[in-house]
Amino acid sequence: MIQILHTYGRLLLQAMGQTLLLALCGLFFACILGMFFGLLSVLKNKVCNVIAGIFVDVIRGVPMIVLAYFVFFGIPYCLNNMMGVSFTLTALQAGTICLALNCGAYMAEIIRAGIQSVDIGQMEAARSLGLPYWRAMVRVVLPQAIRTMIPSIINQFIITLKDTSILSVIGFPELVNSAKNVVAITFMSFQTWAIVAVMYLIVITILSKVARRLERRLNRGR
Amino acid sequence: MAVNKNNVKIHVSHLKKNFDSLEVLKDISTDIYEGEVVVIIGPSGSGKSTFLRCMNKLEEITFGDVVVDGVNLSDKKININQVRERVGMVFQHFNLFHNLNVLRNLTLAPVDLKKASKEEARQQALQMLRKVGLEEKADAYPSQLSGGQKQRVAIARALCMHPDIMLFDEPTSALDPEMVGEVLQVMKQLAADGMTMVIVTHEIGFAREVADRVIFMDDGYIVEEGTPKDVILNPKEARTIDFLNKVL
């Protein structure tokens, strides 16, 4: 154990850095996608609702590992061999897309549910004062919706952080991928995977604690 | 305060409203004049709240015209937000913004719509709160207020936009009995100040005392309308008599 830490500690820490980088990139775009499709699904417009519904259903219905293979291998193959366009994705780009799509779909559902949990009277009261729809949404409905969304969003962040490990299959040098290499060299799988598990545990515990604090702070003003 | 019969504030002609296949309003026509206090009564399901909500287009109008201060709400091209600025509304369930304190509830719309600077809006909000007797609650959050206080804040919030017309949708129905009086008192004061008001309520006593005109609705129609003396004390239609017998 000590030996692995001594020899490969730095490598594993760097890999954890890559994991966090990937998670952060993915989450950033996931928030944008989630917000977009979440709002699309609460608009009083059937076409928008259907588009949002299809996005969520398709992404939720495909396992992330399939999505990863499809984005990293499938799409460039299609463009290069079937359409004659030269196109490649780095593992980071492909990984970000996968996480953003996957997490974005779940975020869209969280945001939709959060907005719908706010009493319709809040929107009506704001509109009755003359506020336009989006103004009322931003000033009155969303602030209340976000409060109820926060626990679910944090939960989704944690799931996404763990899901980065799936992207080891497209060769992104995140923690699991690097750990595999360490095991291949040292054959010390018990020690290596124990270290990896503890590393995930530490990061996610810290994240949960920060989140809990944030949640408490947001609820204080009520 | 005198009713100005020369100035029609809300003109309603042949208004119909359907929710899918359900006809809620079947053929409503009436005029509401400047300074007039109109109270709408009727059994539940008669369409009175829907009628009120058509007056600021919280409900889409299926057929007919609702003309507010010369603006026809059935016209797709109008800017409904401009109309709503001049038509205040008070809801059964208050609908105060839970995420904002009382003062911010009152200043949100005037500041956001650039009707007043922050400081002007604040001063005006405090003045309105004084009017409804809640100046000391400016920093409280809605969850810290009683029902009657919430409804008085809601009235003050609507008044901060300086509306010409106030709509009240069963403003006392969700209140404990001992809090009804304080809200009605504020509404009486408003009527005395000459505000044009349309009130849906079950408070027959209040209607008798404050209304210039009482409208009795049933099954999507206006069945009977007139002074409180005519409609409440000497109703002519069988349905009105039947309803009043049940509630009085």
Side-chain angles (χ1 to χ4, degrees):
Chain A
M1 187 87 79
I2 302 288
Q3 190 194 337
I4 298 243
L5 276 177
H6 187 257
T7 318
Y8 298 103
R10 180 179 288 261
L11 176 87
L12 290 175
L13 272 181
Q14 277 170 354
M16 182 45 114
Q18 291 294 305
T19 290
L20 290 175
L21 171 72
L22 179 61
L24 231 60
C25 291
L27 284 173
F28 176 75
F29 291 106
C31 286
I32 295 173
L33 277 180
M35 202 59 169
F36 179 74
F37 284 105
L39 288 172
L40 223 52
S41 63
V42 296
L43 285 180
K44 268 194 203 154
N45 181 318
K46 283 269 179 298
V47 179
C48 292
N49 301 162
V50 168
I51 291 172
I54 290 173
F55 170 74
V56 171
D57 286 347
V58 167
I59 298 297
R60 250 195 333 202
V62 177
M64 186 135 111
I65 194 163
V66 176
L67 190 65
Y69 282 133
F70 184 76
V71 170
F72 189 62
F73 298 113
I75 288 178
Y77 173 84
C78 169
L79 287 172
N80 290 329
N81 298 359
M82 292 154 75
M83 294 179 166
V85 186
S86 161
F87 181 81
T88 51
L89 281 172
T90 66
L92 178 61
Q93 288 165 341
T96 301
I97 292 171
C98 289
L99 287 178
L101 287 174
N102 193 66
C103 180
Y106 289 99
M107 290 276 283
E109 280 296 277
I110 293 169
I111 287 165
R112 180 188 60 75
I115 291 173
Q116 284 174 346
S117 77
V118 177
D119 177 28
I120 181 84
Q122 296 287 308
M123 177 55 97
E124 286 183 351
R127 296 304 309 275
S128 80
L129 290 164
L131 290 175
Y133 179 85
W134 285 112
R135 214 61 90 75
M137 186 58 103
V138 169
R139 294 283 191 196
V140 175
V141 178
L142 279 181
Q144 296 181 49
I146 284 169
R147 253 184 237 269
T148 64
M149 289 175 208
I150 280 191
S152 316
I153 289 180
I154 288 163
N155 200 25
Q156 191 55 46
F157 277 14
I158 289 170
I159 291 171
T160 302
L161 181 64
K162 293 201 281 188
D163 277 354
T164 54
S165 58
I166 293 170
L167 297 165
S168 60
V169 299
I170 58 169
F172 185 76
E174 48 69 64
L175 190 51
V176 169
N177 200 358
S178 304
K180 271 191 205 160
N181 293 339
V182 173
V183 174
I185 297 166
T186 62
F187 300 110
M188 292 197 233
S189 58
F190 174 77
Q191 294 88 331
T192 310
W193 291 117
I195 290 168
V196 167
V198 169
M199 286 173 78
Y200 273 116
L201 201 59
I202 290 170
V203 170
I204 286 165
T205 306
I206 292 172
L207 197 68
S208 312
K209 284 267 183 296
V210 171
R212 187 90 23 97
R213 190 161 298 175
L214 178 79
E215 201 181 317
R216 224 176 293 142
R217 191 142 103 210
L218 276 168
N219 280 326
R220 208 179 293 154
R222 296 221 80 161
Chain B
M1 205 70 175
V3 177
N4 180 1
K5 287 268 184 190
N6 296 322
N7 189 355
V8 176
K9 295 299 274 185
I10 304 178
H11 168 72
V12 182
S13 78
H14 303 295
L15 168 64
K16 291 178 188 167
K17 169 68 188 174
N18 300 346
F19 288 112
D20 297 320
S21 62
L22 183 70
E23 287 184 295
V24 181
L25 300 177
K26 289 169 185 167
D27 186 21
I28 304 269
S29 296
T30 192
D31 285 327
I32 290 160
Y33 299 98
E34 185 180 23
E36 192 176 26
V37 176
V38 176
V39 172
I40 305 175
I41 58 173
S44 54
S46 58
K48 47 196 198 306
S49 280
T50 305
F51 178 32
L52 192 78
R53 289 161 60 86
C54 285
M55 294 183 199
N56 65 353
K57 219 180 172 188
L58 279 184
E59 300 295 349
E60 287 291 331
I61 293 157
T62 309
F63 179 86
D65 296 313
V66 177
V67 182
V68 177
D69 256 343
V71 181
N72 192 339
L73 304 191
S74 309
D75 186 344
K76 293 257 183 275
K77 283 173 291 200
I78 57 147
N79 182 349
I80 187 63
N81 297 322
Q82 277 173 8
V83 177
R84 286 176 178 155
E85 286 174 12
R86 285 178 280 131
V87 182
M89 186 156 196
V90 174
F91 298 84
Q92 182 178 359
H93 295 289
F94 331 123
N95 297 349
L96 293 183
F97 306 136
H98 302 309
N99 56 322
L100 304 174
N101 69 16
V102 167
L103 193 69
R104 289 279 293 132
N105 261 276
L106 269 64
T107 58
L108 175 72
V111 173
D112 230 53
L113 296 169
K114 306 228 173 358
K115 299 286 160 196
S117 71
K118 271 200 175 139
E119 183 53 30
E120 282 164 9
R122 204 182 77 88
Q123 290 303 335
Q124 173 194 285
L126 290 173
Q127 188 195 329
M128 291 300 174
L129 284 176
R130 212 172 301 140
K131 198 167 170 173
V132 299
L134 287 170
E135 203 184 1
E136 78 283 1
K137 295 289 183 189
D139 296 322
Y141 275 81
S143 57
Q144 298 164 319
L145 303 178
S146 72
Q149 291 172 334
K150 282 182 197 170
Q151 197 58 299
R152 281 144 68 198
V153 170
I155 294 171
R157 176 176 69 181
L159 291 176
C160 278
M161 289 300 289
H162 299 297
D164 297 341
I165 303 164
M166 285 284 285
L167 310 177
F168 294 82
D169 188 3
E170 303 200 24
T172 58
S173 299
L175 296 177
D176 291 335
E178 76 268 25
M179 292 172 181
V180 171
E182 62 191 72
V183 172
L184 294 183
Q185 193 52 46
V186 170
M187 290 168 64
K188 271 181 209 166
Q189 185 56 48
L190 209 53
D193 292 345
M195 177 67 77
T196 307
M197 295 162 74
V198 186
I199 304 162
V200 172
T201 186
H202 295 290
E203 298 286 333
I204 304 293
F206 174 80
R208 205 162 64 188
E209 196 179 337
V210 180
D212 294 305
R213 178 155 50 115
V214 175
I215 294 178
F216 173 73
M217 282 181 70
D218 191 21
D219 195 28
Y221 294 103
I222 292 180
V223 175
E224 191 166 353
E225 62 178 314
T227 62
K229 215 171 130 198
D230 290 340
V231 178
I232 295 174
L233 299 180
N234 304 299
K236 288 173 192 61
E237 299 288 331
R239 280 190 284 182
T240 320
I241 296 168
D242 189 40
F243 173 74
L244 288 170
N245 278 338
K246 278 182 194 151
V247 297
L248 283 179

